[in-house]
PDB file of all heavy atoms in Angstrom:
ATOM      1  N   PHE A 286      10.783  53.379   6.517  1.00 98.00           N
ATOM      2  CA  PHE A 286       9.356  53.626   6.272  1.00 98.00           C
ATOM      3  C   PHE A 286       9.029  53.467   4.794  1.00 98.00           C
ATOM      4  O   PHE A 286       9.890  53.620   3.929  1.00 98.00           O
ATOM      5  CB  PHE A 286       8.957  55.031   6.754  1.00 98.00           C
ATOM      6  CG  PHE A 286       9.681  56.148   6.047  1.00 98.00           C
ATOM      7  CD1 PHE A 286       9.251  56.632   4.814  1.00 98.00           C
ATOM      8  CD2 PHE A 286      10.813  56.727   6.610  1.00 98.00           C
ATOM      9  CE1 PHE A 286       9.927  57.646   4.160  1.00 98.00           C
ATOM     10  CE2 PHE A 286      11.504  57.741   5.965  1.00 98.00           C
ATOM     11  CZ  PHE A 286      11.056  58.206   4.734  1.00 98.00           C
ATOM     12  N   GLU A 287       7.761  53.130   4.554  1.00 98.00           N
ATOM     13  CA  GLU A 287       7.215  53.097   3.196  1.00 98.00           C
ATOM     14  C   GLU A 287       6.085  54.111   3.115  1.00 98.00           C
ATOM     15  O   GLU A 287       5.268  54.209   4.040  1.00 98.00           O
ATOM     16  CB  GLU A 287       6.676  51.702   2.860  1.00 98.00           C
ATOM     17  CG  GLU A 287       7.743  50.635   2.777  1.00 98.00           C
ATOM     18  CD  GLU A 287       7.169  49.254   2.446  1.00 98.00           C
ATOM     19  OE1 GLU A 287       5.921  49.130   2.352  1.00 98.00           O
ATOM     20  OE2 GLU A 287       7.963  48.311   2.300  1.00 98.00           O
ATOM     21  N   LEU A 288       6.019  54.859   2.023  1.00 98.00           N
ATOM     22  CA  LEU A 288       4.911  55.789   1.821  1.00 98.00           C
ATOM     23  C   LEU A 288       3.633  55.011   1.520  1.00 98.00           C
ATOM     24  O   LEU A 288       3.660  54.028   0.779  1.00 98.00           O
ATOM     25  CB  LEU A 288       5.207  56.756   0.667  1.00 98.00           C
ATOM     26  CG  LEU A 288       6.357  57.756   0.847  1.00 98.00           C
ATOM     27  CD1 LEU A 288       6.309  58.800  -0.258  1.00 98.00           C
ATOM     28  CD2 LEU A 288       6.340  58.427   2.200  1.00 98.00           C
ATOM     29  N   ASP A 289       2.529  55.465   2.093  1.00 98.00           N
ATOM     30  CA  ASP A 289       1.229  54.812   1.869  1.00 98.00           C
ATOM     31  C   ASP A 289       0.511  55.369   0.651  1.00 98.00           C
ATOM     32  O   ASP A 289      -0.488  54.806   0.200  1.00 98.00           O
ATOM     33  CB  ASP A 289       0.340  54.972   3.109  1.00 98.00           C
ATOM     34  CG  ASP A 289       0.974  54.339   4.341  1.00 98.00           C
ATOM     35  OD1 ASP A 289       1.735  53.359   4.177  1.00 98.00           O
ATOM     36  OD2 ASP A 289       0.728  54.832   5.461  1.00 98.00           O
ATOM     37  N   GLU A 290       1.014  56.500   0.148  1.00 98.00           N
ATOM     38  CA  GLU A 290       0.454  57.113  -1.057  1.00 98.00           C
ATOM     39  C   GLU A 290       1.599  57.476  -2.000  1.00 98.00           C
ATOM     40  O   GLU A 290       2.762  57.358  -1.631  1.00 98.00           O
ATOM     41  CB  GLU A 290      -0.353  58.371  -0.692  1.00 98.00           C
ATOM     42  CG  GLU A 290      -1.555  58.102   0.202  1.00 98.00           C
ATOM     43  CD  GLU A 290      -2.250  59.382   0.627  1.00 98.00           C
ATOM     44  OE1 GLU A 290      -1.893  60.469   0.119  1.00 98.00           O
ATOM     45  OE2 GLU A 290      -3.155  59.292   1.493  1.00 98.00           O
ATOM     46  N   ARG A 291       1.250  57.924  -3.209  1.00 97.00           N
ATOM     47  CA  ARG A 291       2.287  58.271  -4.181  1.00 97.00           C
ATOM     48  C   ARG A 291       3.144  59.432  -3.700  1.00 97.00           C
ATOM     49  O   ARG A 291       2.637  60.382  -3.095  1.00 97.00           O
ATOM     50  CB  ARG A 291       1.663  58.631  -5.532  1.00 97.00           C
ATOM     51  CG  ARG A 291       1.181  57.416  -6.318  1.00 97.00           C
ATOM     52  CD  ARG A 291       0.765  57.795  -7.722  1.00 97.00           C
ATOM     53  NE  ARG A 291       1.880  58.305  -8.511  1.00 97.00           N
ATOM     54  CZ  ARG A 291       2.799  57.541  -9.099  1.00 97.00           C
ATOM     55  NH1 ARG A 291       2.742  56.222  -8.971  1.00 97.00           N
ATOM     56  NH2 ARG A 291       3.761  58.070  -9.805  1.00 97.00           N
ATOM     57  N   GLY A 292       4.412  59.350  -3.974  1.00 97.00           N
ATOM     58  CA  GLY A 292       5.335  60.409  -3.596  1.00 97.00           C
ATOM     59  C   GLY A 292       6.735  59.843  -3.468  1.00 97.00           C
ATOM     60  O   GLY A 292       6.919  58.625  -3.396  1.00 97.00           O
ATOM     61  N   ILE A 293       7.720  60.723  -3.468  1.00 98.00           N
ATOM     62  CA  ILE A 293       9.120  60.291  -3.331  1.00 98.00           C
ATOM     63  C   ILE A 293       9.756  61.046  -2.180  1.00 98.00           C
ATOM     64  O   ILE A 293       9.901  62.275  -2.240  1.00 98.00           O
ATOM     65  CB  ILE A 293       9.917  60.533  -4.633  1.00 98.00           C
ATOM     66  CG1 ILE A 293       9.228  59.863  -5.826  1.00 98.00           C
ATOM     67  CG2 ILE A 293      11.346  60.005  -4.472  1.00 98.00           C
ATOM     68  CD1 ILE A 293       9.908  60.124  -7.161  1.00 98.00           C
ATOM     69  N   PRO A 294      10.124  60.330  -1.109  1.00 98.00           N
ATOM     70  CA  PRO A 294      10.826  60.992  -0.007  1.00 98.00           C
ATOM     71  C   PRO A 294      12.279  61.261  -0.401  1.00 98.00           C
ATOM     72  O   PRO A 294      12.888  60.461  -1.106  1.00 98.00           O
ATOM     73  CB  PRO A 294      10.753  59.966   1.126  1.00 98.00           C
ATOM     74  CG  PRO A 294      10.656  58.638   0.432  1.00 98.00           C
ATOM     75  CD  PRO A 294       9.959  58.887  -0.883  1.00 98.00           C
ATOM     76  N   VAL A 301       6.953  64.255   9.999  1.00 98.00           N
ATOM     77  CA  VAL A 301       6.025  64.958  10.886  1.00 98.00           C
ATOM     78  C   VAL A 301       5.006  63.981  11.459  1.00 98.00           C
ATOM     79  O   VAL A 301       4.791  62.881  10.926  1.00 98.00           O
ATOM     80  CB  VAL A 301       5.306  66.119  10.152  1.00 98.00           C
ATOM     81  CG1 VAL A 301       6.314  67.145   9.668  1.00 98.00           C
ATOM     82  CG2 VAL A 301       4.466  65.602   8.983  1.00 98.00           C
ATOM     83  N   ILE A 340       3.479  57.607  10.443  1.00 98.00           N
ATOM     84  CA  ILE A 340       4.136  58.916  10.435  1.00 98.00           C
ATOM     85  C   ILE A 340       3.754  59.606   9.134  1.00 98.00           C
ATOM     86  O   ILE A 340       2.987  59.060   8.335  1.00 98.00           O
ATOM     87  CB  ILE A 340       5.681  58.784  10.542  1.00 98.00           C
ATOM     88  CG1 ILE A 340       6.219  57.863   9.420  1.00 98.00           C
ATOM     89  CG2 ILE A 340       6.094  58.281  11.922  1.00 98.00           C
ATOM     90  CD1 ILE A 340       7.737  57.782   9.358  1.00 98.00           C
ATOM     91  N   HIS A 341       4.263  60.816   8.913  1.00 98.00           N
ATOM     92  CA  HIS A 341       4.026  61.520   7.654  1.00 98.00           C
ATOM     93  C   HIS A 341       5.346  62.102   7.158  1.00 98.00           C
ATOM     94  O   HIS A 341       6.180  62.513   7.970  1.00 98.00           O
ATOM     95  CB  HIS A 341       3.006  62.648   7.827  1.00 98.00           C
ATOM     96  CG  HIS A 341       1.623  62.160   8.140  1.00 98.00           C
ATOM     97  ND1 HIS A 341       1.268  61.685   9.397  1.00 98.00           N
ATOM     98  CD2 HIS A 341       0.512  62.052   7.370  1.00 98.00           C
ATOM     99  CE1 HIS A 341      -0.007  61.314   9.381  1.00 98.00           C
ATOM    100  NE2 HIS A 341      -0.489  61.529   8.156  1.00 98.00           N
ATOM    101  N   ILE A 342       5.502  62.122   5.860  1.00 98.00           N
ATOM    102  CA  ILE A 342       6.687  62.725   5.244  1.00 98.00           C
ATOM    103  C   ILE A 342       6.250  63.991   4.525  1.00 98.00           C
ATOM    104  O   ILE A 342       5.330  63.958   3.692  1.00 98.00           O
ATOM    105  CB  ILE A 342       7.359  61.751   4.244  1.00 98.00           C
ATOM    106  CG1 ILE A 342       7.589  60.372   4.887  1.00 98.00           C
ATOM    107  CG2 ILE A 342       8.672  62.366   3.738  1.00 98.00           C
ATOM    108  CD1 ILE A 342       8.449  60.369   6.133  1.00 98.00           C
ATOM    109  N   GLN A 343       6.888  65.097   4.872  1.00 98.00           N
ATOM    110  CA  GLN A 343       6.542  66.388   4.265  1.00 98.00           C
ATOM    111  C   GLN A 343       7.208  66.490   2.894  1.00 98.00           C
ATOM    112  O   GLN A 343       8.393  66.784   2.794  1.00 98.00           O
ATOM    113  CB  GLN A 343       6.989  67.531   5.185  1.00 98.00           C
ATOM    114  CG  GLN A 343       6.409  68.881   4.807  1.00 98.00           C
ATOM    115  CD  GLN A 343       4.911  68.980   5.063  1.00 98.00           C
ATOM    116  OE1 GLN A 343       4.423  68.537   6.091  1.00 98.00           O
ATOM    117  NE2 GLN A 343       4.188  69.565   4.126  1.00 98.00           N
ATOM    118  N   VAL A 344       6.434  66.196   1.851  1.00 96.00           N
ATOM    119  CA  VAL A 344       6.940  66.301   0.478  1.00 96.00           C
ATOM    120  C   VAL A 344       6.392  67.605  -0.088  1.00 96.00           C
ATOM    121  O   VAL A 344       5.214  67.705  -0.420  1.00 96.00           O
ATOM    122  CB  VAL A 344       6.496  65.094  -0.383  1.00 96.00           C
ATOM    123  CG1 VAL A 344       7.019  65.226  -1.799  1.00 96.00           C
ATOM    124  CG2 VAL A 344       6.981  63.793   0.247  1.00 96.00           C
ATOM    125  N   ARG A 345       7.268  68.614  -0.145  1.00 92.00           N
ATOM    126  CA  ARG A 345       6.860  69.972  -0.471  1.00 92.00           C
ATOM    127  C   ARG A 345       5.710  70.405   0.450  1.00 92.00           C
ATOM    128  O   ARG A 345       5.846  70.378   1.654  1.00 92.00           O
ATOM    129  CB  ARG A 345       6.541  70.104  -1.957  1.00 92.00           C
ATOM    130  CG  ARG A 345       7.800  69.961  -2.830  1.00 92.00           C
ATOM    131  CD  ARG A 345       7.511  70.106  -4.300  1.00 92.00           C
ATOM    132  NE  ARG A 345       6.826  68.944  -4.858  1.00 92.00           N
ATOM    133  CZ  ARG A 345       7.454  67.827  -5.242  1.00 92.00           C
ATOM    134  NH1 ARG A 345       8.771  67.738  -5.120  1.00 92.00           N
ATOM    135  NH2 ARG A 345       6.785  66.822  -5.750  1.00 92.00           N
ATOM    136  N   LYS A 346       4.529  70.734  -0.097  1.00 92.00           N
ATOM    137  CA  LYS A 346       3.470  71.257   0.774  1.00 92.00           C
ATOM    138  C   LYS A 346       2.535  70.177   1.303  1.00 92.00           C
ATOM    139  O   LYS A 346       1.598  70.452   2.045  1.00 92.00           O
ATOM    140  CB  LYS A 346       2.653  72.309   0.014  1.00 92.00           C
ATOM    141  CG  LYS A 346       3.437  73.579  -0.279  1.00 92.00           C
ATOM    142  CD  LYS A 346       2.571  74.608  -0.979  1.00 92.00           C
ATOM    143  CE  LYS A 346       3.391  75.883  -1.234  1.00 92.00           C
ATOM    144  NZ  LYS A 346       2.611  76.896  -1.967  1.00 92.00           N
ATOM    145  N   LYS A 347       2.786  68.935   0.915  1.00 96.00           N
ATOM    146  CA  LYS A 347       1.873  67.854   1.303  1.00 96.00           C
ATOM    147  C   LYS A 347       2.522  66.910   2.313  1.00 96.00           C
ATOM    148  O   LYS A 347       3.658  66.473   2.121  1.00 96.00           O
ATOM    149  CB  LYS A 347       1.443  67.081   0.056  1.00 96.00           C
ATOM    150  CG  LYS A 347       0.351  66.060   0.331  1.00 96.00           C
ATOM    151  CD  LYS A 347      -0.079  65.338  -0.944  1.00 96.00           C
ATOM    152  CE  LYS A 347      -1.165  64.329  -0.640  1.00 96.00           C
ATOM    153  NZ  LYS A 347      -1.493  63.488  -1.798  1.00 96.00           N
ATOM    154  N   ALA A 348       1.796  66.592   3.388  1.00 97.00           N
ATOM    155  CA  ALA A 348       2.266  65.600   4.368  1.00 97.00           C
ATOM    156  C   ALA A 348       1.715  64.237   3.942  1.00 97.00           C
ATOM    157  O   ALA A 348       0.521  63.968   4.076  1.00 97.00           O
ATOM    158  CB  ALA A 348       1.798  65.961   5.765  1.00 97.00           C
ATOM    159  N   ILE A 349       2.592  63.395   3.396  1.00 98.00           N
ATOM    160  CA  ILE A 349       2.158  62.100   2.867  1.00 98.00           C
ATOM    161  C   ILE A 349       2.267  61.036   3.961  1.00 98.00           C
ATOM    162  O   ILE A 349       3.318  60.889   4.595  1.00 98.00           O
ATOM    163  CB  ILE A 349       3.021  61.697   1.645  1.00 98.00           C
ATOM    164  CG1 ILE A 349       2.826  62.730   0.529  1.00 98.00           C
ATOM    165  CG2 ILE A 349       2.664  60.301   1.150  1.00 98.00           C
ATOM    166  CD1 ILE A 349       3.612  62.448  -0.722  1.00 98.00           C
ATOM    167  N   PRO A 350       1.174  60.286   4.210  1.00 98.00           N
ATOM    168  CA  PRO A 350       1.228  59.254   5.249  1.00 98.00           C
ATOM    169  C   PRO A 350       2.206  58.142   4.899  1.00 98.00           C
ATOM    170  O   PRO A 350       2.355  57.775   3.731  1.00 98.00           O
ATOM    171  CB  PRO A 350      -0.209  58.732   5.307  1.00 98.00           C
ATOM    172  CG  PRO A 350      -0.870  59.151   4.045  1.00 98.00           C
ATOM    173  CD  PRO A 350      -0.153  60.381   3.570  1.00 98.00           C
ATOM    174  N   ALA A 351       2.863  57.629   5.926  1.00 98.00           N
ATOM    175  CA  ALA A 351       3.844  56.556   5.749  1.00 98.00           C
ATOM    176  C   ALA A 351       3.775  55.637   6.965  1.00 98.00           C
ATOM    177  O   ALA A 351       3.255  56.013   8.019  1.00 98.00           O
ATOM    178  CB  ALA A 351       5.252  57.133   5.605  1.00 98.00           C
ATOM    179  N   THR A 352       4.296  54.433   6.793  1.00 98.00           N
ATOM    180  CA  THR A 352       4.283  53.437   7.864  1.00 98.00           C
ATOM    181  C   THR A 352       5.701  52.957   8.132  1.00 98.00           C
ATOM    182  O   THR A 352       6.449  52.661   7.191  1.00 98.00           O
ATOM    183  CB  THR A 352       3.403  52.230   7.477  1.00 98.00           C
ATOM    184  OG1 THR A 352       2.086  52.699   7.162  1.00 98.00           O
ATOM    185  CG2 THR A 352       3.331  51.213   8.611  1.00 98.00           C
TER     186      THR A 352
END
Side-chain angles (χ1 to χ4, degrees):
F286 62 83
E287 294 180 356
L288 294 192
D289 300 331
E290 298 175 8
R291 284 188 64 80
I293 305 177
V301 299
I340 55 174
H341 293 76
I342 310 301
Q343 193 70 43
V344 180
R345 292 181 287 278
K346 292 182 179 177
K347 188 178 180 187
I349 298 180
T352 304

